[in-house]
Amino acid sequence: MDPRRMVKAKKVKSGCRTCKIRKVKCDEGRPACQRCVATGRVCDGYGIWGGGSHHQRCARDKQVPRSLSASLIAVSGTEERVHFEWFKCRTATKLQGSFNSYFWSTLLFQASFSEPAVLHAVLALSSVHKRGICYPDIRELRGGGNIPDQHEQFTLEQYAKAISHLQPHFSSNDRASRRIALMACILFVSLDLLRGHFTTAQIHLQNGLGILQEMQMLLSTDDAVQPHNSYRESTDDWVMEAFSRLHLQLELFKYTHAHTVRVLPILEAPPHKIESVNDAWNLLQQAFDDIFHLAHQARQQVGHAWCNDEQMRIGAELGRWLDMFVAFRKRLRHPTLVEQKCNHLLDVYHTLAGIMNDTCLSVSGDEMIYDLHTDQFTTLLTKLEGLWTVSSTSYISHILPGYWVDMSKSVIDVGWIPPLYYIAIKCRVHQIRLQAIRLLERAFHREGIWDSKSAACVARKVMEMEEGNFYRGMGAKDTFGRCDGSSLEENVSLPLPTLPEACRMREVEVVFAGSPLDRISLYCKQRDMDQDYRVLLSVYDVNKGLWTDGI
């Protein structure tokens, strides 16, 4: 056949950027094509705005300037490229924790190549993460002073650029701008948590809640017009999922019946089957959201009958979740080490949710109610010890003074610190709470707003202030548990009297101060003449390692 007579194939102009570069046919899956996912590649997508006609894309571009070329040029510098590669290879894979997050593994990379605000926020976060691993003692970089070193200077520059590029999005009311602002907010919160700037992180989180509420209203409007918008169900859900996990950490941290915002939408038709660990976690997170909301409603003295019915409903959903989760685990014939860790973590949080649901209606501050759940606390601690074994977390013998966490083991997602802290604060069985504290003291990593060193420090102080000399001379052991050879059940069986209600603190509250953290304030609620008062009990100097009572 004469080659000149051959009809040249029409060039395909659609498809993701990755498939175009590779010159292969793209299945155009949204927001990441299956060809890229199946081969382990990062799908650079179609821009996080999705598909649609040329006219629709131009209409969006007129609302807020999108600068693909600006983002590509921005990573052309050596320092920017180094930090972007670090984010791709180290930060994004580590910070998402045990549960895979498409927000961290896919969406951020797509957005970085089309949105300068996201790109610069990514570079700032990468810089903090890299600096914490390569230079754990920042005093060496600063020469003992407070002048920002070159790594921190790079972080601040990228942070400022991200804020600058966000300004057009703040003045726009379209859904795409809300999405970008929320993505940047998640990155800012993560960055400040890793830096130990907790006050700033919580401000970003509160701002993000406002953006999320606006975004959910826009989603509701769009879904009414386009009820089968599958792209919305993936990309927007990834953003909301990442944000809601950060919000869950804050609620667990300040669990004092003050939950007013539902982050996750209420499921109208709960699934009948768990297909993945992420499915299991999302359902469990919905249960926590319901528990926080119920505790708040009870505090606001909403109808007693409604609260009881809602508590029973949540309990039934937790039971249903457990049945589905057991069936899911049976289908995993040869789980990987990561899957084993996820399964242990899910089991732990299910037990924690059960205890919290059973006690969340105690609006009068009855701390004795937790004594009814000693068996559940024992089960929870046993599961956490199993999680320790699976995780194979090593003990660090040489710890730097002041505020320091092991950045190489730190994550943004939840882990085992909140359940251990909850046991240490709420369970008044001396052996159980002390074992939880000792487990916290054996690790020095961060899980979002939580770090094991600070959690252990606060929990031990609460135990010492509550117990005082109550157990002196009664044979209470300070070393026990599986980490020391004996069984937990043997030590719990040691007969000790119940800690009186007058000794117990109500609604323990912890406030972090300093940038980075240098002071921890410990509060609780005390009742006088039928009125609750917030009382400052003690302040911890992080650098000196000393508590000062009665300030």
Side-chain angles (χ1 to χ4, degrees), residues 416-428:
W416 76 333
I417 297 177
L420 283 172
Y421 178 80
Y422 187 83
I423 293 172
I425 297 297
K426 291 300 186 182
C427 179
R428 271 52 177 229

Side-chain angles (χ1 to χ4, degrees), residues 266-281:
I266 300 175
L267 296 177
E268 296 181 359
H272 298 285
K273 185 178 181 181
I274 291 177
E275 300 287 353
S276 67
V277 291
N278 277 51
D279 286 346
W281 176 250

Side-chain angles (χ1 to χ4, degrees), residues 18 36 40-45 88 105-106 109-110:
T18 305
C36 288
R41 292 178 169 84
V42 174
C43 178
D44 285 336
K88 182 173 68 174
S105 64
T106 302
F109 295 103
Q110 295 179 7

Side-chain angles (χ1 to χ4, degrees), residues 298-352:
R299 164 154 284 202
Q300 300 302 313
Q301 298 183 347
V302 176
H304 182 72
W306 179 88
C307 288
N308 286 335
D309 290 344
E310 182 67 3
Q311 186 182 45
M312 292 179 62
R313 183 194 68 79
I314 297 173
E317 286 299 320
L318 288 173
R320 183 171 167 273
W321 181 95
L322 184 59
D323 292 338
M324 292 189 296
F325 182 62
V326 169
F328 166 72
R329 294 187 70 168
K330 287 181 179 179
R331 297 196 298 271
L332 291 176
R333 299 185 180 276
H334 303 289
T336 65
L337 184 61
V338 173
E339 289 173 333
Q340 292 179 46
K341 182 180 177 181
C342 288
N343 289 335
H344 273 80
L345 203 56
L346 287 164
D347 204 9
V348 162
Y349 274 89
H350 174 263
T351 304
L352 176 63

Side-chain angles (χ1 to χ4, degrees), residues 358-375:
D358 291 342
T359 58
C360 70
L361 297 185
S362 179
V363 296
S364 62
D366 178 17
E367 293 294 316
M368 303 298 288
I369 192 174
Y370 295 97
D371 294 350
L372 302 175
H373 301 277
T374 299
D375 290 343

Side-chain angles (χ1 to χ4, degrees), residues 158-321:
Q158 298 300 318
Y159 188 96
K161 290 180 180 179
I163 292 292
S164 176
H165 285 291
L166 276 175
Q167 295 308 313
H169 295 287
F170 291 145
S171 61
S172 177
N173 293 321
D174 65 294
R175 196 176 84 191
S177 289
R178 292 290 182 270
R179 185 187 301 131
I180 287 299
L182 197 57
M183 291 174 68
C185 180
I186 294 171
L187 292 168
F188 290 156
V189 172
S190 303
L191 181 151
D192 282 319
L193 289 177
L194 292 185
R195 297 175 74 198
H197 295 197
F198 300 108
T199 301
T200 308
Q202 292 185 54
I203 292 173
H204 283 311
L205 196 60
Q206 292 301 318
N207 291 337
L209 281 173
I211 297 172
L212 182 61
Q213 287 180 308
E214 295 173 356
M215 187 174 176
Q216 287 179 328
M217 287 189 291
L218 289 170
L219 292 177
S220 299
T221 302
D222 288 354
D223 286 347
V225 178
Q226 295 176 311
H228 301 292
N229 190 346
S230 61
Y231 180 69
R232 200 287 307 172
E233 293 173 359
S234 53
T235 305
D236 291 322
D237 285 350
W238 293 351
V239 176
M240 286 189 287
E241 178 185 286
F243 184 85
S244 61
R245 289 188 183 180
L246 288 173
H247 186 254
L248 173 64
Q249 294 173 24
L250 181 62
E251 291 304 316
L252 290 171
F253 179 77
K254 65 178 187 66
Y255 185 57
T256 55
H257 312 294
H259 185 85
T260 57
V261 178
R262 282 186 179 273
V263 176
L264 294 177
I266 300 175
L267 296 177
E268 296 181 359
H272 298 285
K273 185 178 181 181
I274 291 177
E275 300 287 353
S276 67
V277 291
N278 277 51
D279 286 346
W281 176 250
N282 289 336
L283 287 173
L284 202 52
Q285 188 167 316
Q286 178 75 63
F288 275 107
D289 202 43
D290 291 341
I291 292 169
F292 294 142
H293 183 70
L294 174 60
H296 173 73
Q297 294 295 95
R299 164 154 284 202
Q300 300 302 313
Q301 298 183 347
V302 176
H304 182 72
W306 179 88
C307 288
N308 286 335
D309 290 344
E310 182 67 3
Q311 186 182 45
M312 292 179 62
R313 183 194 68 79
I314 297 173
E317 286 299 320
L318 288 173
R320 183 171 167 273
W321 181 95

